[in-house]
Amino acid sequence: MTTIPQVRTALDRSILGPENPAVPFDHPFRAEFASWLAEHVPAGPAPEGEDALFAQRRDWQATMHRGGWAGLTWPREYGGRADGPLTQLMAYEELALHRAPEPANTPGMILLGPTLMQLGTEELKQRFLPRILSGEDLFCQGFSEPDSGSDLASLRTRARLDGGFWVIDGQKIWTTFADRADYCFVLARTEPDSVRHRGLTLLICPTDQPGVTIRTIEQISGDHEFAEVFFDGVHCPASWVVGEPGQGWSAAMTLFQFERGDPGYTDHARLLVELVDARDAVRAAGARVSQPARADLGGRAVDLWRRCQELRALNVRLALLAEAGGRIAETGSVTNLVWGELAKDVADLSADAAELTGTDLRVAIHHRLASRAKSIYSGTTEIQRTVIAERLLGLPR
Ligand SMILES: Cc1cc2nc3c(=O)[nH]c(=O)nc-3n(C[C@H](O)[C@H](O)[C@H](O)COP(=O)(O)OP(=O)(O)OC[C@H]3O[C@@H](n4cnc5c(N)ncnc54)[C@H](O)[C@@H]3O)c2cc1C
């Protein structure tokens, strides 16, 4: 029968489940990174309020960078450590075990950075990659539009070359951190008569300039993490193209493999830590939680723990594939699908446990509401299923 492991300390690696030989618990990298984390992770609960939380994320990114731990898999010439994907996976696990904050620049570090390394010119790589890692330049992702979310190829934002600049007109929506970012990577239609996925270009556009209007949108959680972004004759240099002009769809697909397959997003370790915390809160509450409620939570927790192990196996498999030089491609949709649904169910369990025990109830309810977005923002559950069916299984459209 499956059971959640008994853990002796908050940092006990058996929280993660049975040891996997690809990412062993006694790997020297873990010991070195863990001892640095023990000294540097901010103590105490997360700060209250979105601004304070984001400030902590910026500080944490700068701390990681100063310590030499940002961009583990990135080449040394751009500020990384040239480690492999399995080391990166162990790092994500150690970060979760130490309850470290997330860095501020995830759109830059997980999405644009790896895409630039594959498709960017040397000029763009040298200009942006080190500043993405340090957090000096924050990025947001300008893909979705009001009528073009799942159907991204129908997007209407346009850009035309005028002298040495692209001039952008149009509107993006749901743009995470738009109001905090210095740059937006914008997918725009650059060939006037083109349709669908042809004639698009991925551009890097500074957001602090006339013609850019940003209006934040309130989420169900009460947060204002994302925004509408309006472009009215906005300029970016002609050479700030990721990939080739007219090949933006291919650049977007390259970026999606990181968005869907990077365990920095589809993080099994943070879910496992959350699950063990909920279990411990119920235990600590003792007789305040009735026996039937305890049995219900216990059964759900064991099932979720098993699903977290499946996600962990998928993340290890992708890291092994990447370590061997393989492309993640559409396989990322499998991990993303499993993660999105699982993360919502774990958040539900945490909130139910908090309701019964009275522990951190406000935080847990906020977390439950915020988690609803996890099966939407890197492609909805339905879209991931379609990608898996058509492109991985070869089923008819
Ligand atoms: C918190 C959050 C942050 C986000 N951040 C960003 C960001 O930084 N940058 C960015 O560009 N976008 C961002 N997005 C937008 C996200 O990518 C879109 O919400 C997502 O792609 C879905 O698009 P949509 O909202 O237009 O919904 P729609 O595409 O209108 O979908 C509505 C519903 O219809 C279903 N549906 C649509 N088409 C199909 C189909 N062909 N088959 C079956 N079902 C279908 C969907 O699954 C969904 O349930 C974010 C979204 C959220 C929630």
Side-chain angles (χ1 to χ4, degrees):
M1 198 183 100
T2 313
T3 52
I4 301 181
Q6 302 297 319
V7 292
R8 287 180 304 281
T9 70
L11 291 179
D12 189 337
R13 295 196 176 101
S14 62
I15 286 178
L16 302 170
E19 189 163 9
N20 187 312
V23 283
F25 291 160
D26 62 356
H27 194 287
F29 170 82
R30 285 193 192 267
E32 189 192 353
F33 190 37
S35 81
W36 182 85
L37 287 171
E39 276 185 26
H40 291 88
V41 171
E48 297 262 338
E50 287 183 77
D51 289 342
L53 204 57
F54 197 81
Q56 187 195 56
R57 289 178 65 160
R58 274 204 102 141
D59 286 349
W60 177 241
Q61 170 128 20
T63 306
M64 288 266 292
H65 183 251
R66 275 196 304 276
W69 302 103
L72 285 182
T73 57
W74 292 26
R76 289 186 197 282
E77 61 198 290
Y78 305 125
R81 274 180 43 125
D83 286 325
L86 287 165
T87 306
Q88 177 67 75
L89 188 67
M90 288 189 278
Y92 285 137
E93 291 186 337
E94 296 301 317
L95 286 160
L97 288 171
H98 286 80
R99 276 98 169 141
E102 287 180 62
N105 204 9
T106 45
M109 287 171 69
I110 296 184
L111 307 184
L112 183 66
T115 309
L116 268 182
M117 278 185 268
Q118 281 197 15
L119 302 176
T121 60
E122 202 47 45
E123 177 208 345
L124 292 182
K125 290 186 204 172
Q126 286 189 8
R127 178 177 189 109
F128 288 115
L129 291 176
R131 295 174 65 86
I132 287 175
L133 286 189
S134 65
E136 286 163 281
D137 289 341
L138 296 187
F139 281 83
C140 62
Q141 177 188 22
F143 280 19
S144 304
E145 298 185 6
D147 295 316
S148 308
S150 302
D151 186 17
L152 186 61
S154 66
L155 67 83
R156 286 179 297 184
T157 292
R158 294 184 173 274
R160 64 187 157 80
L161 264 181
D162 185 359
F165 292 92
W166 293 98
V167 183
I168 307 172
D169 289 284
Q171 186 200 341
K172 298 292 174 180
I173 195 168
W174 319 125
T175 316
T176 302
F177 300 150
D179 57 330
R180 303 184 189 274
D182 306 292
Y183 297 91
C184 184
F185 41 98
V186 179
L187 194 58
R189 193 163 294 286
T190 47
E191 293 172 16
D193 299 325
S194 65
V195 289
R196 305 292 301 164
H197 52 277
R198 295 194 177 80
L200 302 174
T201 301
L202 185 57
L203 302 168
I204 298 180
C205 175
T207 52
D208 184 14
Q209 60 168 305
V212 177
T213 307
I214 298 170
R215 288 196 208 129
T216 57
I217 307 170
E218 185 168 339
Q219 292 161 266
I220 189 176
S221 59
D223 293 338
H224 297 78
E225 250 185 14
F226 55 26
E228 293 177 290
V229 185
F230 299 86
F231 297 85
D232 184 6
V234 169
H235 286 63
C236 76
S239 62
W240 288 15
V241 173
V242 184
E244 298 293 323
Q247 299 299 315
W249 188 253
S250 165
M253 292 304 111
T254 299
L255 186 141
F256 276 151
Q257 73 172 331
F258 303 116
E259 178 158 22
R260 294 173 180 171
D262 188 297
Y265 283 153
T266 60
D267 192 340
H268 57 272
R270 286 192 190 267
L271 297 181
L272 284 159
V273 167
E274 189 180 339
L275 210 48
V276 169
D277 284 350
R279 192 266 315 267
D280 289 350
V282 172
R283 278 206 181 141
R288 280 193 288 127
V289 179
S290 72
Q291 189 49 41
R294 192 182 285 264
D296 170 57
L297 284 179
R300 283 164 59 198
V302 166
D303 187 49
L304 290 169
W305 189 81
R306 181 190 54 72
R307 287 168 60 193
C308 286
Q309 294 306 317
E310 288 168 3
L311 176 61
R312 180 173 167 233
L314 287 167
N315 279 331
V316 172
R317 188 169 154 249
L318 276 193
L320 282 167
L321 177 76
E323 190 94 19
R327 284 191 76 242
I328 299 166
E330 286 82 20
T331 317
S333 284
V334 181
T335 38
N336 202 273
L337 174 67
V338 169
W339 167 78
E341 295 300 319
L342 177 58
K344 288 191 295 188
D345 292 346
V346 172
D348 282 344
L349 182 100
S350 296
D352 290 347
E355 234 164 78
L356 289 164
T357 62
T359 322
D360 290 336
L361 184 55
R362 209 172 47 76
V363 175
I365 290 173
H366 173 269
H367 178 56
R368 168 186 257 167
L369 292 172
S371 76
R372 300 302 102 176
K374 293 188 175 173
S375 57
I376 300 174
Y377 56 64
S378 34
T380 66
T381 292
E382 290 75 20
I383 294 306
Q384 308 294 4
R385 287 203 171 112
T386 302
V387 170
I388 293 165
E390 292 178 1
R391 294 193 224 150
L392 282 177
L393 302 178
L395 297 176
R397 283 175 67 83

